[in-house]
Amino acid sequence: MYRLKNATDNARFCCQSQLDNQNVKEAICEAQIDLRALREELYMHEKTVYTAKGQIIEQMSLAQGQRVLILTAAAALFIPMSFVAV
């Protein structure tokens, strides 16, 4: 991003000489390369986050299943006992 800002700051002087014009073009090309690399890195992070999200959802589903199992076992024990107590 620093290079892109530098390129835009130097852009108003690009008409003075061919050397300045070439420097601006090089700075813009370097900024484009940097932005492409950042985009690829963000894509990799997006895939990592997506995978982690799936794993978290799976863990939450397993935990919920365990809770349901405990509640079912408790209900299987205490509901018949409530008929006997009455």
Side-chain angles (χ1 to χ4, degrees):
M1 289 306 199
Y2 172 75
R3 291 179 184 157
L4 189 59
K5 182 180 182 330
N6 191 17
T8 56
D9 289 343
N10 292 334
R12 58 188 135 173
F13 303 113
C14 66
C15 296
Q16 291 180 356
S17 73
Q18 186 66 21
L19 181 61
D20 286 341
N21 195 12
Q22 185 63 28
N23 289 339
V24 169
K25 287 181 181 179
E26 288 175 5
I28 290 173
C29 287
E30 290 175 6
Q32 287 176 338
I33 292 169
D34 290 344
L35 289 173
R36 284 188 192 118
L38 285 173
R39 184 178 59 192
E40 291 173 8
E41 189 174 343
L42 283 174
Y43 179 71
M44 294 301 293
H45 288 303
E46 179 185 17
K47 286 174 38 175
T48 303
V49 168
Y50 183 75
T51 302
K53 178 184 171 186
Q55 290 174 348
I56 289 170
I57 289 172
E58 184 178 339
Q59 289 294 321
M60 290 175 64
S61 177
L62 289 172
Q64 184 179 4
Q66 289 175 345
R67 288 186 205 109
V68 168
L69 176 66
I70 292 169
L71 288 174
T72 302
L77 291 174
F78 289 111
I79 290 177
M81 290 174 65
S82 67
F83 292 121
V84 173
V86 174

Coordinates of all heavy atoms in Angstrom, one line a residue:
M1 N 0.8 -1.2 0.0 CA 0.0 0.0 0.0 C 0.9 1.3 0.0 O 0.5 2.3 -0.6 CB -0.9 0.0 1.2 CG -2.0 -1.0 1.1 SD -2.9 -0.8 -0.4 CE -4.3 -1.7 -0.1
Y2 N 2.0 1.2 0.7 CA 2.9 2.3 0.7 C 3.4 2.6 -0.7 O 3.4 3.8 -1.1 CB 4.1 2.0 1.6 CG 5.2 3.1 1.5 CD1 5.1 4.3 2.1 CD2 6.4 2.8 0.8 CE1 6.0 5.2 2.0 CE2 7.3 3.8 0.6 CZ 7.2 5.0 1.3 OH 8.2 5.9 1.2
R3 N 3.7 1.6 -1.5 CA 4.1 1.8 -2.9 C 3.0 2.5 -3.7 O 3.3 3.3 -4.6 CB 4.6 0.5 -3.5 CG 5.8 0.0 -2.9 CD 6.2 -1.3 -3.5 NE 7.4 -1.9 -2.8 CZ 7.7 -3.1 -2.8 NH1 7.0 -4.0 -3.4 NH2 8.8 -3.5 -2.2
L4 N 1.8 2.0 -3.5 CA 0.7 2.6 -4.3 C 0.5 4.1 -3.9 O 0.3 4.9 -4.8 CB -0.6 1.8 -4.0 CG -1.8 2.1 -4.9 CD1 -1.5 1.9 -6.3 CD2 -3.0 1.3 -4.5
K5 N 0.6 4.4 -2.7 CA 0.5 5.8 -2.3 C 1.7 6.6 -2.9 O 1.5 7.7 -3.4 CB 0.5 5.9 -0.7 CG 0.3 7.4 -0.3 CD 0.4 7.5 1.2 CE 0.1 8.8 1.7 NZ 0.6 10.0 0.9
N6 N 2.8 6.0 -2.8 CA 4.0 6.7 -3.4 C 3.8 6.9 -4.9 O 4.1 8.0 -5.4 CB 5.2 5.8 -3.2 CG 6.5 6.6 -3.5 OD1 6.5 7.8 -3.6 ND2 7.6 5.9 -3.6
A7 N 3.2 5.9 -5.6 CA 3.0 6.1 -7.0 C 1.9 7.2 -7.3 O 2.1 8.0 -8.2 CB 2.5 4.7 -7.6
T8 N 0.9 7.2 -6.5 CA -0.1 8.3 -6.7 C 0.5 9.7 -6.4 O 0.1 10.7 -7.0 CB -1.4 8.0 -5.9 OG1 -1.0 7.9 -4.5 CG2 -2.1 6.8 -6.4
D9 N 1.3 9.7 -5.4 CA 2.0 11.0 -5.1 C 2.9 11.5 -6.2 O 3.0 12.7 -6.5 CB 2.8 10.9 -3.8 CG 1.9 10.8 -2.5 OD1 0.7 11.1 -2.6 OD2 2.4 10.4 -1.5
N10 N 3.6 10.6 -6.8 CA 4.5 10.9 -7.9 C 3.8 11.1 -9.2 O 4.4 11.5 -10.2 CB 5.6 9.8 -8.0 CG 6.5 9.8 -6.9 OD1 6.7 10.9 -6.2 ND2 7.1 8.7 -6.6
A11 N 2.5 10.7 -9.3 CA 1.8 10.7 -10.6 C 1.7 12.1 -11.2 O 1.7 12.3 -12.4 CB 0.4 10.1 -10.4
R12 N 1.6 13.1 -10.3 CA 1.4 14.4 -10.8 C 2.6 15.0 -11.5 O 2.6 15.9 -12.2 CB 0.9 15.4 -9.8 CG 1.8 15.5 -8.6 CD 1.2 16.2 -7.5 NE 1.4 15.4 -6.3 CZ 1.2 15.8 -5.1 NH1 0.6 17.0 -4.9 NH2 1.5 15.1 -4.0
F13 N 3.8 14.3 -11.3 CA 5.1 14.8 -11.9 C 5.4 13.9 -13.1 O 6.5 14.1 -13.6 CB 6.2 14.7 -10.8 CG 5.9 15.5 -9.6 CD1 5.7 14.8 -8.4 CD2 5.9 16.8 -9.6 CE1 5.5 15.6 -7.2 CE2 5.6 17.6 -8.5 CZ 5.4 16.9 -7.3
C14 N 4.5 13.0 -13.5 CA 4.9 12.1 -14.5 C 5.1 12.7 -15.9 O 5.7 12.1 -16.8 CB 3.9 10.9 -14.6 SG 2.3 11.5 -15.1
C15 N 4.6 13.9 -16.1 CA 4.7 14.5 -17.4 C 6.0 15.3 -17.6 O 6.3 15.7 -18.7 CB 3.5 15.5 -17.6 SG 1.9 14.7 -17.6
Q16 N 6.8 15.4 -16.5 CA 8.0 16.2 -16.6 C 9.1 15.4 -17.4 O 9.9 16.0 -18.1 CB 8.6 16.6 -15.2 CG 7.7 17.6 -14.5 CD 8.2 17.9 -13.2 OE1 9.2 17.4 -12.7 NE2 7.5 18.9 -12.5
S17 N 9.2 14.1 -17.1 CA 10.2 13.4 -17.8 C 9.8 11.9 -18.0 O 8.9 11.4 -17.3 CB 11.6 13.4 -17.1 OG 11.5 12.6 -16.0
Q18 N 10.4 11.3 -18.9 CA 10.1 9.9 -19.2 C 10.6 9.0 -18.0 O 9.9 8.0 -17.7 CB 10.8 9.4 -20.5 CG 10.5 8.0 -20.9 CD 9.0 7.9 -21.4 OE1 8.4 8.9 -21.7 NE2 8.5 6.7 -21.4
L19 N 11.6 9.4 -17.3 CA 12.1 8.6 -16.2 C 11.1 8.6 -15.1 O 10.8 7.5 -14.5 CB 13.4 9.2 -15.7 CG 14.1 8.5 -14.5 CD1 14.4 7.0 -14.9 CD2 15.3 9.2 -14.1
D20 N 10.5 9.7 -14.8 CA 9.4 9.8 -13.8 C 8.2 8.9 -14.2 O 7.7 8.2 -13.3 CB 8.9 11.2 -13.5 CG 9.9 12.1 -12.8 OD1 10.8 11.5 -12.1 OD2 9.8 13.3 -12.9
N21 N 7.9 9.0 -15.4 CA 6.8 8.2 -15.9 C 7.1 6.7 -15.8 O 6.2 5.9 -15.3 CB 6.5 8.5 -17.4 CG 5.2 8.0 -17.9 OD1 4.4 7.6 -17.1 ND2 5.0 8.0 -19.2
Q22 N 8.3 6.3 -16.0 CA 8.7 4.9 -15.9 C 8.7 4.5 -14.4 O 8.3 3.4 -14.1 CB 10.1 4.6 -16.5 CG 10.5 3.2 -16.5 CD 9.6 2.3 -17.3 OE1 9.1 2.8 -18.3 NE2 9.6 1.1 -17.0
N23 N 9.1 5.3 -13.5 CA 9.1 5.1 -12.1 C 7.7 4.8 -11.6 O 7.5 4.0 -10.7 CB 9.8 6.2 -11.3 CG 11.3 6.2 -11.5 OD1 11.9 5.2 -11.9 ND2 11.9 7.3 -11.3
V24 N 6.8 5.6 -12.0 CA 5.4 5.5 -11.6 C 4.8 4.2 -12.1 O 4.2 3.4 -11.4 CB 4.5 6.7 -12.1 CG1 3.1 6.4 -11.9 CG2 4.9 8.0 -11.4
K25 N 5.1 3.8 -13.3 CA 4.6 2.5 -13.9 C 5.2 1.4 -13.1 O 4.5 0.4 -12.8 CB 5.0 2.4 -15.4 CG 4.2 3.3 -16.3 CD 4.6 3.1 -17.7 CE 3.8 4.0 -18.7 NZ 4.2 3.8 -20.1
E26 N 6.5 1.4 -12.8 CA 7.1 0.4 -12.0 C 6.5 0.3 -10.6 O 6.2 -0.8 -10.1 CB 8.6 0.6 -11.9 CG 9.3 0.3 -13.2 CD 10.8 0.7 -13.1 OE1 11.3 1.0 -11.9 OE2 11.5 0.6 -14.1
A27 N 6.2 1.4 -10.0 CA 5.6 1.4 -8.6 C 4.2 0.8 -8.7 O 3.8 0.1 -7.8 CB 5.6 2.8 -8.1
I28 N 3.5 1.1 -9.7 CA 2.1 0.6 -9.8 C 2.2 -0.9 -10.1 O 1.4 -1.7 -9.5 CB 1.3 1.3 -11.0 CG1 1.0 2.8 -10.5 CG2 0.1 0.6 -11.3 CD1 0.4 3.6 -11.6
C29 N 3.1 -1.3 -10.9 CA 3.2 -2.8 -11.2 C 3.6 -3.5 -9.9 O 3.1 -4.6 -9.6 CB 4.3 -3.1 -12.2 SG 3.7 -2.6 -13.9
E30 N 4.5 -3.0 -9.1 CA 4.9 -3.6 -7.8 C 3.7 -3.6 -6.9 O 3.5 -4.6 -6.1 CB 6.1 -2.8 -7.2 CG 7.4 -3.0 -7.9 CD 8.5 -2.2 -7.3 OE1 8.3 -1.5 -6.3 OE2 9.6 -2.1 -7.9
A31 N 2.9 -2.5 -6.9 CA 1.7 -2.5 -6.0 C 0.7 -3.6 -6.4 O 0.1 -4.2 -5.6 CB 1.1 -1.1 -6.0
Q32 N 0.6 -3.8 -7.7 CA -0.3 -4.8 -8.2 C 0.2 -6.2 -7.8 O -0.6 -7.1 -7.4 CB -0.4 -4.8 -9.7 CG -1.2 -3.6 -10.2 CD -1.3 -3.5 -11.8 OE1 -0.4 -4.0 -12.4 NE2 -2.3 -2.8 -12.3
I33 N 1.5 -6.4 -7.9 CA 2.0 -7.7 -7.4 C 1.8 -7.9 -6.0 O 1.3 -9.0 -5.5 CB 3.5 -7.8 -7.8 CG1 3.7 -7.9 -9.3 CG2 4.2 -9.0 -7.1 CD1 5.2 -7.7 -9.7
D34 N 2.0 -6.9 -5.2 CA 1.7 -7.0 -3.7 C 0.3 -7.3 -3.4 O -0.1 -8.1 -2.6 CB 2.1 -5.7 -3.0 CG 3.6 -5.5 -3.0 OD1 4.4 -6.5 -3.2 OD2 4.1 -4.4 -2.7
L35 N -0.6 -6.6 -4.2 CA -2.1 -6.8 -3.9 C -2.5 -8.2 -4.3 O -3.3 -8.8 -3.7 CB -2.9 -5.8 -4.7 CG -2.8 -4.4 -4.1 CD1 -3.5 -3.4 -5.1 CD2 -3.4 -4.3 -2.7
R36 N -1.9 -8.8 -5.4 CA -2.2 -10.1 -5.8 C -1.7 -11.1 -4.7 O -2.5 -12.1 -4.4 CB -1.5 -10.5 -7.1 CG -2.2 -9.9 -8.3 CD -1.6 -10.4 -9.6 NE -2.1 -9.6 -10.7 CZ -1.3 -8.9 -11.5 NH1 0.0 -8.9 -11.4 NH2 -1.9 -8.2 -12.5
A37 N -0.6 -10.9 -4.2 CA -0.1 -11.8 -3.1 C -1.0 -11.7 -1.9 O -1.3 -12.7 -1.2 CB 1.4 -11.4 -2.7
L38 N -1.4 -10.5 -1.5 CA -2.3 -10.3 -0.4 C -3.6 -11.0 -0.7 O -4.2 -11.6 0.2 CB -2.6 -8.8 -0.1 CG -1.4 -8.1 0.6 CD1 -1.7 -6.6 0.6 CD2 -1.2 -8.6 2.0
R39 N -4.1 -10.9 -1.9 CA -5.4 -11.6 -2.2 C -5.3 -13.1 -2.1 O -6.1 -13.8 -1.5 CB -5.8 -11.2 -3.6 CG -7.2 -11.8 -4.0 CD -7.6 -11.4 -5.4 NE -6.6 -11.8 -6.4 CZ -6.6 -11.4 -7.6 NH1 -7.5 -10.6 -8.1 NH2 -5.6 -11.9 -8.4
E40 N -4.1 -13.7 -2.5 CA -3.9 -15.1 -2.4 C -3.8 -15.5 -0.9 O -4.4 -16.5 -0.5 CB -2.7 -15.5 -3.1 CG -2.8 -15.4 -4.6 CD -1.5 -15.7 -5.4 OE1 -0.5 -16.1 -4.7 OE2 -1.4 -15.5 -6.6
E41 N -3.1 -14.7 -0.1 CA -3.0 -15.0 1.3 C -4.4 -14.9 2.0 O -4.7 -15.7 2.8 CB -2.1 -14.0 2.0 CG -1.7 -14.3 3.4 CD -0.7 -13.4 3.9 OE1 0.0 -12.7 3.2 OE2 -0.5 -13.3 5.2
L42 N -5.2 -13.9 1.6 CA -6.5 -13.8 2.2 C -7.4 -15.0 1.8 O -8.2 -15.5 2.6 CB -7.2 -12.5 1.7 CG -6.8 -11.3 2.5 CD1 -7.4 -10.1 1.8 CD2 -7.1 -11.3 3.9
Y43 N -7.2 -15.5 0.6 CA -7.9 -16.7 0.1 C -7.6 -17.9 1.0 O -8.4 -18.7 1.4 CB -7.7 -16.9 -1.3 CG -8.4 -18.2 -1.9 CD1 -9.8 -18.2 -2.0 CD2 -7.7 -19.3 -2.2 CE1 -10.4 -19.3 -2.5 CE2 -8.3 -20.4 -2.7 CZ -9.7 -20.4 -2.8 OH -10.3 -21.5 -3.3
M44 N -6.3 -18.1 1.3 CA -5.8 -19.2 2.1 C -6.4 -19.1 3.5 O -6.8 -20.0 4.1 CB -4.3 -19.2 2.2 CG -3.7 -19.5 0.8 SD -4.2 -21.1 0.1 CE -3.4 -22.2 1.3
H45 N -6.4 -17.8 4.1 CA -7.0 -17.6 5.4 C -8.5 -17.9 5.4 O -9.0 -18.5 6.4 CB -6.7 -16.2 5.9 CG -5.3 -16.0 6.3 ND1 -4.6 -16.7 7.2 CD2 -4.4 -15.1 5.9 CE1 -3.4 -16.3 7.4 NE2 -3.2 -15.3 6.5
E46 N -9.2 -17.6 4.3 CA -10.6 -17.8 4.2 C -10.8 -19.3 4.2 O -11.8 -19.8 4.9 CB -11.1 -17.2 2.9 CG -12.6 -17.5 2.7 CD -13.1 -17.0 1.3 OE1 -12.3 -16.7 0.4 OE2 -14.3 -16.9 1.1
K47 N -10.0 -20.1 3.5 CA -10.2 -21.6 3.5 C -9.9 -22.1 4.9 O -10.7 -23.0 5.4 CB -9.2 -22.2 2.5 CG -9.7 -22.0 1.1 CD -8.7 -22.5 0.0 CE -8.0 -23.7 0.3 NZ -7.2 -24.2 -0.8
T48 N -9.0 -21.6 5.6 CA -8.7 -22.0 7.0 C -9.8 -21.7 7.9 O -10.2 -22.6 8.7 CB -7.4 -21.4 7.5 OG1 -6.3 -21.7 6.6 CG2 -7.0 -21.9 8.9
V49 N -10.4 -20.5 7.8 CA -11.5 -20.2 8.7 C -12.7 -21.0 8.4 O -13.4 -21.5 9.3 CB -11.8 -18.7 8.5 CG1 -13.1 -18.3 9.1 CG2 -10.7 -17.8 9.1
Y50 N -12.9 -21.3 7.1 CA -14.1 -22.1 6.7 C -13.9 -23.5 7.3 O -14.9 -24.1 7.8 CB -14.2 -22.2 5.2 CG -15.4 -22.9 4.7 CD1 -16.7 -22.4 4.7 CD2 -15.2 -24.2 4.2 CE1 -17.7 -23.1 4.3 CE2 -16.3 -24.9 3.7 CZ -17.6 -24.4 3.8 OH -18.7 -25.1 3.3
T51 N -12.7 -24.1 7.2 CA -12.5 -25.4 7.8 C -12.7 -25.4 9.3 O -13.3 -26.3 9.9 CB -11.1 -25.9 7.5 OG1 -10.9 -25.9 6.1 CG2 -10.8 -27.3 8.0
A52 N -12.2 -24.4 10.0 CA -12.3 -24.3 11.4 C -13.8 -24.1 11.8 O -14.3 -24.7 12.8 CB -11.5 -23.1 12.0
K53 N -14.5 -23.4 11.0 CA -16.0 -23.2 11.3 C -16.7 -24.5 11.2 O -17.5 -24.8 12.0 CB -16.6 -22.2 10.2 CG -18.0 -22.0 10.4 CD -18.5 -21.1 9.3 CE -20.0 -21.0 9.3 NZ -20.6 -20.3 8.1
G54 N -16.4 -25.3 10.2 CA -17.0 -26.6 10.1 C -16.7 -27.5 11.3 O -17.5 -28.3 11.8
Q55 N -15.4 -27.5 11.7 CA -15.0 -28.3 12.9 C -15.7 -27.8 14.1 O -16.2 -28.7 15.0 CB -13.5 -28.2 13.1 CG -12.7 -29.0 12.0 CD -11.3 -28.8 12.1 OE1 -10.8 -27.9 12.9 NE2 -10.5 -29.5 11.3
I56 N -15.9 -26.5 14.3 CA -16.6 -26.0 15.5 C -18.1 -26.4 15.5 O -18.6 -26.9 16.5 CB -16.5 -24.5 15.6 CG1 -15.0 -24.1 15.9 CG2 -17.5 -23.9 16.6 CD1 -14.7 -22.6 15.8
I57 N -18.7 -26.4 14.3 CA -20.1 -26.8 14.2 C -20.2 -28.3 14.5 O -21.2 -28.7 15.2 CB -20.6 -26.4 12.8 CG1 -20.8 -24.9 12.6 CG2 -21.9 -27.1 12.5 CD1 -21.2 -24.4 11.3
E58 N -19.3 -29.0 14.0 CA -19.3 -30.5 14.3 C -19.1 -30.8 15.8 O -19.9 -31.6 16.4 CB -18.2 -31.2 13.5 CG -18.2 -32.7 13.7 CD -17.1 -33.3 12.8 OE1 -16.6 -32.7 11.9 OE2 -16.7 -34.5 13.2
Q59 N -18.2 -30.1 16.5 CA -18.1 -30.2 17.9 C -19.3 -29.8 18.7 O -19.7 -30.5 19.6 CB -16.9 -29.4 18.4 CG -15.5 -30.0 17.9 CD -15.2 -31.3 18.5 OE1 -15.5 -31.6 19.7 NE2 -14.7 -32.2 17.7
M60 N -19.9 -28.7 18.3 CA -21.2 -28.3 18.9 C -22.3 -29.3 18.7 O -23.1 -29.6 19.7 CB -21.6 -26.9 18.4 CG -20.7 -25.8 18.8 SD -21.1 -24.2 18.1 CE -22.7 -23.9 18.8
S61 N -22.4 -29.9 17.6 CA -23.4 -31.0 17.3 C -23.1 -32.2 18.2 O -24.1 -32.8 18.7 CB -23.3 -31.3 15.8 OG -24.2 -32.4 15.6
L62 N -21.9 -32.6 18.3 CA -21.5 -33.7 19.2 C -21.9 -33.4 20.6 O -22.4 -34.3 21.4 CB -20.1 -34.1 19.1 CG -19.6 -34.7 17.8 CD1 -18.1 -34.9 17.7 CD2 -20.3 -36.1 17.6
A63 N -21.6 -32.2 21.1 CA -21.9 -31.8 22.5 C -23.4 -31.8 22.7 O -23.9 -32.3 23.7 CB -21.3 -30.5 22.8
Q64 N -24.2 -31.4 21.7 CA -25.6 -31.4 21.8 C -26.2 -32.8 21.9 O -27.1 -33.1 22.6 CB -26.2 -30.6 20.7 CG -27.7 -30.5 20.7 CD -28.3 -29.7 19.6 OE1 -27.6 -29.3 18.7 NE2 -29.6 -29.5 19.6
G65 N -25.6 -33.7 21.1 CA -26.0 -35.1 21.1 C -25.7 -35.7 22.5 O -26.6 -36.5 22.9
Q66 N -24.6 -35.4 23.1 CA -24.3 -35.9 24.4 C -25.4 -35.4 25.4 O -25.8 -36.2 26.3 CB -22.9 -35.5 24.8 CG -21.9 -36.3 24.1 CD -20.5 -35.8 24.4 OE1 -20.3 -34.8 25.0 NE2 -19.5 -36.6 24.0
R67 N -25.7 -34.1 25.3 CA -26.7 -33.6 26.3 C -28.1 -34.3 26.1 O -28.8 -34.6 27.1 CB -26.9 -32.1 26.0 CG -25.7 -31.3 26.6 CD -26.0 -29.8 26.5 NE -24.7 -29.1 26.4 CZ -24.2 -28.5 25.3 NH1 -24.9 -28.5 24.2 NH2 -23.0 -27.9 25.3
V68 N -28.5 -34.5 24.9 CA -29.7 -35.2 24.6 C -29.7 -36.6 25.1 O -30.7 -37.1 25.7 CB -30.0 -35.2 23.1 CG1 -31.2 -36.1 22.7 CG2 -30.3 -33.7 22.6
L69 N -28.6 -37.3 25.0 CA -28.4 -38.6 25.5 C -28.6 -38.6 27.1 O -29.3 -39.5 27.6 CB -27.1 -39.2 25.2 CG -26.7 -40.6 25.7 CD1 -27.7 -41.6 25.1 CD2 -25.3 -40.9 25.5
I70 N -28.0 -37.7 27.7 CA -28.1 -37.6 29.2 C -29.6 -37.3 29.6 O -30.1 -37.9 30.5 CB -27.2 -36.5 29.8 CG1 -25.7 -37.0 29.6 CG2 -27.5 -36.2 31.2 CD1 -24.7 -36.0 29.9
L71 N -30.2 -36.4 28.9 CA -31.6 -36.0 29.2 C -32.5 -37.2 28.9 O -33.5 -37.5 29.7 CB -32.0 -34.8 28.4 CG -31.4 -33.5 28.9 CD1 -31.9 -32.4 27.9 CD2 -31.9 -33.1 30.3
T72 N -32.3 -38.0 27.9 CA -33.1 -39.1 27.6 C -32.9 -40.2 28.6 O -33.9 -40.8 29.1 CB -32.7 -39.7 26.2 OG1 -32.8 -38.7 25.2 CG2 -33.5 -40.9 25.8
A73 N -31.7 -40.4 29.1 CA -31.5 -41.4 30.1 C -32.1 -41.0 31.4 O -32.8 -41.8 32.1 CB -30.0 -41.6 30.3
A74 N -32.0 -39.7 31.8 CA -32.7 -39.2 33.0 C -34.2 -39.4 32.9 O -34.9 -39.8 33.8 CB -32.3 -37.8 33.2
A75 N -34.8 -39.1 31.7 CA -36.2 -39.2 31.5 C -36.6 -40.6 31.6 O -37.7 -41.0 32.2 CB -36.6 -38.6 30.2
A76 N -35.8 -41.5 31.0 CA -36.2 -43.0 31.1 C -36.2 -43.5 32.5 O -36.9 -44.4 32.8 CB -35.2 -43.8 30.3
L77 N -35.4 -42.9 33.4 CA -35.4 -43.3 34.8 C -36.5 -42.7 35.6 O -37.2 -43.3 36.4 CB -34.0 -43.0 35.4 CG -32.9 -43.9 34.9 CD1 -31.6 -43.3 35.6 CD2 -33.1 -45.3 35.3
F78 N -36.7 -41.4 35.5 CA -37.5 -40.6 36.4 C -39.0 -40.6 36.0 O -39.9 -40.5 36.8 CB -37.0 -39.2 36.5 CG -35.7 -39.1 37.3 CD1 -34.6 -38.7 36.7 CD2 -35.7 -39.4 38.7 CE1 -33.4 -38.7 37.4 CE2 -34.6 -39.3 39.4 CZ -33.4 -38.9 38.8
I79 N -39.3 -40.8 34.7 CA -40.7 -40.8 34.3 C -41.4 -42.0 34.9 O -42.5 -41.9 35.5 CB -40.9 -40.7 32.8 CG1 -40.5 -39.2 32.4 CG2 -42.3 -41.0 32.3 CD1 -40.6 -39.0 30.9
P80 N -40.9 -43.2 34.7 CA -41.6 -44.4 35.4 C -41.7 -44.3 36.9 O -42.6 -44.7 37.5 CB -40.7 -45.6 35.0 CG -40.0 -45.2 33.8 CD -39.8 -43.7 33.9
M81 N -40.6 -43.7 37.5 CA -40.7 -43.5 39.0 C -41.8 -42.5 39.4 O -42.3 -42.7 40.5 CB -39.3 -43.0 39.4 CG -38.2 -44.1 39.3 SD -36.6 -43.5 39.7 CE -36.7 -43.1 41.4
S82 N -42.1 -41.6 38.5 CA -43.2 -40.7 38.9 C -44.5 -41.4 39.0 O -45.4 -41.0 39.7 CB -43.2 -39.5 37.9 OG -43.6 -39.9 36.6
F83 N -44.7 -42.4 38.1 CA -46.0 -43.2 38.2 C -46.1 -44.0 39.4 O -47.1 -44.2 40.0 CB -46.1 -44.0 36.9 CG -46.3 -43.3 35.7 CD1 -45.5 -43.4 34.6 CD2 -47.4 -42.4 35.5 CE1 -45.7 -42.7 33.4 CE2 -47.6 -41.7 34.4 CZ -46.7 -41.8 33.3
V84 N -44.9 -44.5 39.9 CA -44.9 -45.4 41.1 C -45.1 -44.5 42.3 O -45.8 -44.9 43.3 CB -43.5 -46.1 41.2 CG1 -43.4 -46.9 42.5 CG2 -43.4 -47.1 40.0
A85 N -44.6 -43.3 42.4 CA -44.7 -42.5 43.5 C -46.1 -42.0 43.7 O -46.5 -41.7 44.9 CB -43.8 -41.3 43.4
V86 N -46.9 -41.9 42.7 CA -48.3 -41.3 42.9 C -49.2 -42.3 43.3 O -49.5 -43.2 43.9 CB -48.8 -40.8 41.5 CG1 -50.2 -40.4 41.6 CG2 -47.9 -39.7 41.0

